[in-house]
Amino acid sequence: MSTIDREALDWVVRQLAGALGEDERKALDAWLATDIRHQGAYLRARAINHALDRATVQETLRPQRERLEVEWAGSSWKQAGSRRAFLAYGGAAAGIAALTLAGVLPSLSNKTVLTTAKGEFRKVPLADKSVADINSGSQIEVRLTQQKRQVTLKTGEVWLEVAKDKTKPFVVEAGEVRVRAVGTAFGVRRYSNGAEVLVTEGTVEVWSNEGTAQKRLLTAGERSFVQDRATDIPVTRQPQEVERKLAWREGKLVFNNQTLGEAVADFNRYSQKKIVIVDPQLRSKKLVGQYQIDAPELFARDISTFLDVPIVITTEKILIGEA
């Protein structure tokens, strides 16, 4: 393995451990700008990691995986601790890398469509060095040109870590809602009448393309629901709520005084086995807790114990409050 590949792998591992600090982001940008070979090695490392992520997620429908302390031992990718080889870096992994690079890293003039099925999650490196975390049941279109970078959220939700490039604005379109950012990280979830924006790093500008509301700036820890034809754009500072709503990136659902109805709706975004609240009086009960996204049955059993109500689990549904 070459020194450049080792350095690229080190950067990917550091990014997997959490968002890079300002100094680290500058160091990464400088490293990438030093040599075009650095860019190729970095994209290969991100693509292979993405391929491994997809293989694991699609098998278990679990977006969370242990934080990988990945190493390259000889010619194989292995998981530290268990030392279990996922894929050999020979023909198989090289083929996956080539397909991933061709499929999700668009040229500067092409549009790329990225889609996730229910229960599927994708972490996709973009050609401008930005990263898109795509939630379950979502679709985005990515168009990178010499003048701008544009992501259109057709359905669902996406979290974006945007690479700095002041010469090319980065704009997300969700219906009539627009979000513009440079060198920041934020989530956007589309609804039938607008979009929710959650900022985790830096500053973004939001507005309604068809509304009369003035543009607003959101900083880290702030959130806003922007209507398609907004006459006003409310902004609230709720860093804990922002993190709670984005816990899906770690494969979790976190509830902090959410109602049972809200919790069930969250689970049903991901689970093939639908949860149904049979007794409508239960919908307003408040909950506090944290669950893996792929654990609806455990959630239902806890609800049965906590609220002292019966549940019925079938091959297709989970009924809460069924006599």
Side-chain angles (χ1 to χ4, degrees), residues 31-194:
W31 182 80
L32 290 167
T34 300
D35 191 326
I36 194 171
R37 293 176 299 170
H38 291 183
Q39 300 176 28
Y42 176 78
L43 292 176
R44 286 195 301 273
R46 293 301 297 256
I48 292 172
N49 176 70
H50 170 60
L52 297 180
D53 274 349
R54 290 203 67 199
T56 302
V57 170
Q58 289 180 351
E59 179 180 339
T60 65
L61 293 182
R62 181 190 296 272
Q64 181 189 35
R65 52 176 173 75
E66 296 178 356
R67 181 172 294 172
L68 289 181
E69 297 296 337
V70 186
E71 62 176 334
W72 193 313
S75 60
S76 298
W77 282 85
K78 297 185 177 181
Q79 182 179 9
S82 68
R83 307 286 296 180
R84 179 172 62 87
F86 283 104
L87 291 171
Y89 185 65
I96 289 175
L99 287 172
T100 304
L101 287 168
V104 304
L105 301 178
S107 69
L108 292 180
S109 60
N110 292 336
K111 178 179 70 175
T112 298
V113 179
L114 301 169
T115 303
T116 55
K118 190 172 185 177
E120 180 187 12
F121 305 82
R122 298 181 69 178
K123 179 187 287 290
V124 182
L126 307 181
D128 69 334
K129 296 179 289 188
S130 298
V131 178
D133 278 14
I134 309 172
N135 202 351
S136 164
S138 302
Q139 183 179 93
I140 66 172
E141 292 181 357
V142 181
R143 188 186 298 273
L144 306 180
T145 70
Q146 297 294 343
Q147 290 75 38
K148 67 176 182 178
R149 299 170 289 170
Q150 179 180 311
V151 172
T152 302
L153 179 60
K154 294 293 189 180
T155 58
E157 185 173 10
V158 64
W159 178 83
L160 295 150
E161 186 176 19
V162 180
K164 289 186 177 179
D165 187 346
K166 293 183 179 180
T167 66
K168 297 176 184 176
F170 192 107
V171 177
V172 177
E173 298 183 357
E176 298 299 333
V177 177
R178 301 291 184 267
V179 186
R180 177 161 44 209
V182 175
T184 186
F186 61 97
V188 182
R189 180 177 176 184
R190 185 168 179 181
Y191 291 83
S192 61
N193 62 335

Side-chain angles (χ1 to χ4, degrees), residues 2 53 63 182 194 200 206 209 238 247:
S2 70
D53 274 349
V182 175
T200 56
V206 300
N209 202 42
Q238 295 178 304

